[in-house]
Amino acid sequence: ESVTVAAAGGDSHFTFSISGPGTITASGVFTAGNVPGGSTSATTTLTVKDGLGQSAQTTVTTYTPVVISPSTQKVIGAQSITFSSSGGLAPYTYALTSGLGTLSGAKYTAPSSIATNSNAIITVTDALGQTAVSTVRLISPVQLAAVTSPVVGSNTQTLVASAGDETYTFSITAGATGGALTDTTPVDHARKIFTAANNLTAGVLVTVQVKDGMNQTATRNISVVPAVTLSVANPASLLPGASETFTAG
C-alpha cells in the first residue's frame, strides 16, 4: 500500500528519506515494506528536508495482514468453533457473512439439523478494515440406503452410502457369520458388496455400519437365511407306482 507525503512551508525544494521498511520516491510517495518476521507491525520514520536544510519528520506504522484461525473447518449439527485472529490491528470483529448457523462474538455454532452439505463463511475485520475469511463446511448426517432383506445364502446386496463427510468406512458390527463385505468393481468408496454366507443352518441377522470422516454412523440390518435344500429319504431307484418322501430344509 502507498501513501503520498505532503510537505509545506520552508524552501519548496524538498527531499525525502526514510528509516525503516519501505521506499519513498522523490515526489514523496511512500510504499510500505515488509514487516520483519516475528512482528505484526513495523514503524518507518519519514524525513523531509527543504533547500535551507530545515527538516520535519512523521512516522508510518505498517501492519501485517489480519489472519483468522482456523481458516477452514468441518462441523456436524450443533458443533461449535471458536475463532482467533492475529496480525493487523486489534480489536477484531467477526461476522457470519454467508450460510447457516449463529455467531456470538468469535464463537460459531452450526444449526442442530443440517439437511445437505453446505458452507458458512466467517469474516474477521480488524481496526484498519483489513479482512480475512474462514470457510466452515457443514456436514449433514451420513446415510446408508435401504437394502432388500431377507437375503438367501450366496446372494448379494449392494450397500450405498451418501451425504455426511464423504470418506466412508464400512464394517459388519453384528452377525459376522452371516456374510462378508467386498469392494465393488471398479472400486467405489461409497459402495460395498455384501455376500451372504452359503453354509448357514439357521438364519442370521447381520448389521452393516458405515462411518464417515466425522465419525457419524448409519446402519442397516440384513436378514440372511439358509438356502432351501431338498433331500430324499431313500435315494434308491423307485419302481413304477412306488412312493418316496422328500424333505425340504
Side-chain angles (χ1 to χ4, degrees):
E1 186 176 357
S2 298
V3 294
T4 299
V5 181
D11 179 1
S12 60
H13 297 85
F14 301 119
T15 57
F16 298 91
S17 62
I18 62 171
S19 174
T23 60
I24 195 165
T25 67
S27 60
V29 178
F30 170 77
T31 301
N34 294 326
V35 175
S39 300
T40 58
S41 65
T43 299
T44 300
T45 300
L46 284 65
T47 301
V48 60
K49 184 179 292 187
D50 70 3
L52 299 174
Q54 301 179 104
S55 63
Q57 290 183 331
T58 188
T59 57
V60 176
T61 302
T62 303
Y63 294 88
T64 57
V66 65
V67 176
I68 188 171
S69 180
S71 59
T72 60
Q73 183 75 37
K74 295 177 181 179
V75 295
I76 61 174
Q79 275 192 330
S80 296
I81 308 168
T82 298
F83 292 94
S84 62
S85 295
S86 59
L89 178 63
Y92 307 111
T93 58
Y94 298 85
L96 174 62
T97 51
S98 176
L100 303 176
T102 58
L103 188 68
S104 177
K107 183 178 180 180
Y108 168 82
T109 302
S112 57
S113 178
I114 300 173
T116 58
N117 292 358
S118 62
N119 291 336
I121 304 298
I122 309 299
T123 301
V124 62
T125 304
D126 74 354
L128 299 171
Q130 299 184 107
T131 61
V133 299
S134 175
T135 300
V136 180
R137 185 65 171 166
L138 308 181
I139 305 299
S140 61
V142 66
Q143 299 178 24
L144 190 57
V147 295
T148 301
S149 184
V151 179
V152 178
S154 297
N155 286 355
T156 63
Q157 286 286 307
T158 300
L159 295 143
V160 182
S162 61
D165 180 39
E166 297 170 357
T167 303
Y168 303 122
T169 303
F170 292 82
S171 62
I172 294 175
T173 57
T177 59
L181 295 172
T182 55
D183 288 331
T184 57
T185 304
V187 173
D188 181 345
H189 294 293
R191 297 171 180 262
K192 287 287 184 180
I193 302 297
F194 172 78
T195 303
N198 62 4
N199 58 353
L200 297 177
T201 58
V204 175
L205 185 64
V206 177
T207 300
V208 178
Q209 174 183 274
V210 63
K211 180 183 292 186
D212 73 357
M214 300 293 289
N215 288 322
Q216 300 181 108
T217 60
T219 60
R220 289 290 180 181
N221 290 326
I222 303 174
S223 177
V224 180
V225 296
V228 174
T229 60
L230 189 65
S231 61
V232 182
N234 183 1
S237 299
L238 298 179
L239 297 174
S243 63
E244 186 55 273
T245 300
F246 292 85
T247 302

